Amino acid sequence: MLSAEEKQSIIKLINRQVVPAIGCTEPIAVALCVAKAREVLGELPEHISLKLSANILKNAMGVGIPGTGMIGLPIAVALGALVGRPELQLEVLQDSNREAVEKGKQFIAEDRIDIKLEENDSDKLYIRVLCKAGGHESEAVIKSKHTNFVYLRRDNEIMLDKKTTCEEAAEEKEVELTLRKVYEFATETDVEDLRFILEAKRLNEAAAEDGLRENYGHALGKTMCSPLGKGIMGDSIFSKILSVTSCACDARMSGAMVPVMSNSGSGNQGICTTMPVVVFAKENHNTEEELIRGLILSNLTAIYIKQYLGSLSALCGCVVASTGSSVGITYLMGGSYEQVCYAVKNMIANLTGMLCDGAKPSCALKLTTGVSTSVMSAMLAIQNRHVTSVEGIIDDDVDICIRNLTTIGRKGMDETDRYVLDIMTHKGECRM
């Protein structure tokens, strides 16, 4: 039985990790850092220099920037300087408009932005911004988490200097989660204390509706619910889960100016932990209370896994998020804790190793692969069918299974990550 203090700590953890975001969180975090550096400087920078970790670069190269019709970092940097509001966190570019975009294009054309790879910091999420104007300079550094400022300086005046990751990370570590604790929290906490999670449903449903109206990205979601898609896949609960989830991802990855509710620093993870559970609950006629608990279970499972994996890694975030949605769907099917464990084991046995090759419109394909696996894993789990400890990386202990997954993603795939970035930054060159 969880204590009231433990429950409050977990609620605070969810509220820190499940937050609104407009646009892909990596370039938006860069824009946030630029906006803060400009605020510290006190005037529009004449020149902006950035040093970014490889994973930030990877996730910002091919993704649409909201409201611009453009991809990549330069426009995100320019808009961060011109109209960014750092107090809005991951909605920092909320005030972007056509006039700002035109000014941003001019800012880029004047060669006022310099972006380089930071090779000396081991953190996979690292953003350093140096702004200069009128003989003054400012510096801002984000590290470990997308909104975690660890250093602020104007000329020789240091305003913030956190040598460790941050108070926020320390707070998270105080909440020691296990899958059993996640399940007990989601199923035993007063539902009124969990009702806040319905905001994730509202935001991500709106993003899916936007994705259905427009032809974003590869239009995967629209294709699956078109006559062609229905002719091939039918009009089942399964096909609806895939199409709705994909529509939201199509919109977000192509730069739609719509907020989504993120999870652990990723909008796609927020979409993936939310929409499959929402659609299944609707089609399965679950009660609102069951939906709330299913969403909490899905989102908190993803948060738990990400605590060990880290904010960015070589492992595609859809593996983590779709594991959460599989757990939520299993619960909505009437599953027990043991069956929830089976769903996790089925997911880890299947999707471990899916690599992340940056944020981009085709992320909708990976998200849909993850979600289709989540439904399949839940179907097996509710019938007490699961991958066993004699198979591959699966252990009898579900929490050890999760550690196996995150160890592979955090450490085992490091070399893969380097090769992926090398390929992405040297396309067209002859390779042996």
Side-chain angles (χ1 to χ4, degrees):
M1 179 72 73
L2 296 175
S3 68
E5 184 179 358
E6 283 180 300
K7 288 181 180 179
Q8 284 304 310
S9 294
I10 294 173
I11 288 172
K12 289 179 180 178
L13 171 63
I14 297 172
N15 280 312
R16 287 197 302 273
Q17 295 290 2
V18 179
V19 297
I22 297 176
C24 177
T25 46
E26 278 69 58
I28 295 302
V30 173
L32 172 63
C33 199
V34 171
K36 190 67 176 179
R38 182 216 60 215
E39 180 182 76
V40 170
L41 184 65
E43 59 184 304
L44 183 67
E46 296 168 1
H47 191 269
I48 305 172
S49 299
L50 301 96
K51 285 196 172 182
L52 310 173
S53 61
N55 283 74
I56 290 288
L57 282 172
K58 181 180 72 173
N59 281 347
M61 289 172 63
V63 70
I65 306 302
T68 68
M70 301 170 68
I71 64 170
L73 280 168
I75 190 62
V77 171
L79 289 174
L82 291 165
V83 297
R85 292 170 58 193
E87 70 273 14
L88 295 179
Q89 301 278 291
L90 294 179
E91 295 179 281
V92 61
L93 297 185
Q94 190 178 95
D95 293 344
S96 179
N97 54 33
R98 184 175 299 177
E99 181 183 356
V101 172
E102 291 306 313
K103 289 181 178 179
K105 291 178 181 178
Q106 182 63 33
F107 198 96
I108 295 167
E110 292 170 357
D111 199 25
R112 296 165 68 174
I113 300 170
D114 180 46
I115 301 172
K116 292 182 179 178
L117 174 66
E118 172 57 70
E119 298 177 339
N120 297 322
D121 196 284
S122 60
D123 202 295
K124 294 189 176 184
L125 198 164
Y126 181 86
I127 304 165
R128 177 178 178 265
V129 174
L130 189 68
C131 291
K132 295 183 178 181
H136 297 280
E137 70 175 28
S138 65
E139 183 180 356
V141 178
I142 285 176
K143 187 174 180 178
S144 299
K145 303 290 181 183
H146 292 79
T147 59
N148 175 35
F149 285 96
V150 297
Y151 189 82
L152 295 173
R153 174 182 65 83
R154 185 180 192 275
D155 294 333
N156 294 323
E157 181 187 357
I158 296 174
M159 302 170 175
L160 175 69
D161 189 3
K162 295 181 182 179
K163 300 300 182 185
T164 56
T165 50
C166 77
E167 295 170 3
E168 181 184 52
E171 285 177 8
E172 287 183 18
K173 289 180 181 178
E174 291 172 7
V175 184
E176 295 184 3
L177 295 174
T178 63
L179 194 62
R180 169 73 73 175
K181 189 176 289 188
V182 167
Y183 181 83
E184 289 181 356
F185 173 82
T187 56
E188 296 175 6
T189 304
D190 188 330
V191 71
E192 294 304 315
D193 293 335
L194 307 178
R195 192 170 290 278
F196 64 88
I197 201 65
L198 290 177
E199 181 66 4
K201 171 182 180 291
R202 185 186 72 82
L203 288 181
N204 293 345
E205 274 187 329
E209 290 167 5
D210 193 51
L212 185 59
R213 281 192 299 269
E214 305 295 335
N215 291 321
Y216 289 116
H218 303 293
L220 177 61
K222 289 188 73 170
T223 299
M224 284 193 291
C225 61
S226 69
L228 172 65
K230 288 181 179 179
I232 295 172
M233 299 185 66
D235 194 19
S236 63
I237 297 175
F238 180 64
S239 65
K240 289 177 182 178
I241 288 173
L242 298 188
S243 63
V244 171
T245 304
S246 300
C247 277
C249 185
D250 285 330
R252 178 175 178 268
M253 288 288 93
S254 295
M257 198 64 172
V258 292
V260 302
M261 191 65 82
S262 66
N263 182 297
S264 304
S266 167
N268 279 352
Q269 286 171 194
I271 290 168
C272 193
T273 54
T274 302
M275 294 317 300
V277 177
V278 167
V279 176
F280 184 86
K282 178 182 178 181
E283 297 295 321
N284 196 47
H285 304 292
N286 288 101
T287 65
E288 183 179 68
E289 177 175 343
E290 289 169 338
L291 169 61
I292 290 170
R293 296 191 185 282
L295 285 172
I296 289 289
L297 188 54
S298 177
N299 277 274
L300 190 55
T301 297
I303 291 169
Y304 167 40
I305 298 172
K306 289 290 284 188
Q307 282 184 330
Y308 289 90
L309 182 62
S311 296
L312 297 176
S313 74
L315 183 70
C316 179
C318 81
V319 176
V320 175
S322 56
T323 299
S325 62
S326 186
V327 164
I329 290 170
T330 302
Y331 166 76
L332 293 176
M333 287 177 173
S336 63
Y337 170 71
E338 286 72 23
Q339 288 166 324
V340 161
C341 292
Y342 296 160
V344 172
K345 292 178 180 182
N346 291 340
M347 291 295 295
I348 293 173
N350 193 345
L351 285 185
T352 297
M354 181 184 286
L355 62 82
C356 170
D357 57 342
K360 58 210 175 303
S362 62
C363 283
L365 291 163
K366 292 190 178 186
L367 213 64
T368 304
T369 296
V371 172
S372 65
T373 303
S374 75
V375 176
M376 181 171 61
S377 295
M379 288 170 57
L380 287 174
I382 203 68
Q383 299 178 83
N384 297 313
R385 299 182 184 277
H386 63 96
V387 180
T388 66
S389 60
V390 300
E391 304 172 69
I393 63 171
I394 300 305
D395 193 278
D396 288 327
D397 186 324
V398 70
D399 294 297
I400 293 178
C401 288
I402 289 172
R403 303 296 184 279
N404 292 345
L405 167 70
T406 57
T407 299
I408 291 170
R410 191 179 69 254
K411 297 179 180 179
M413 295 177 70
D414 266 353
E415 189 69 10
T416 299
D417 214 18
R418 285 189 284 273
Y419 273 107
V420 167
L421 185 65
D422 182 63
I423 290 169
M424 290 174 66
T425 54
H426 296 87
K427 288 182 181 178
E429 296 180 10
C430 182
R431 293 176 182 275
M432 297 297 292

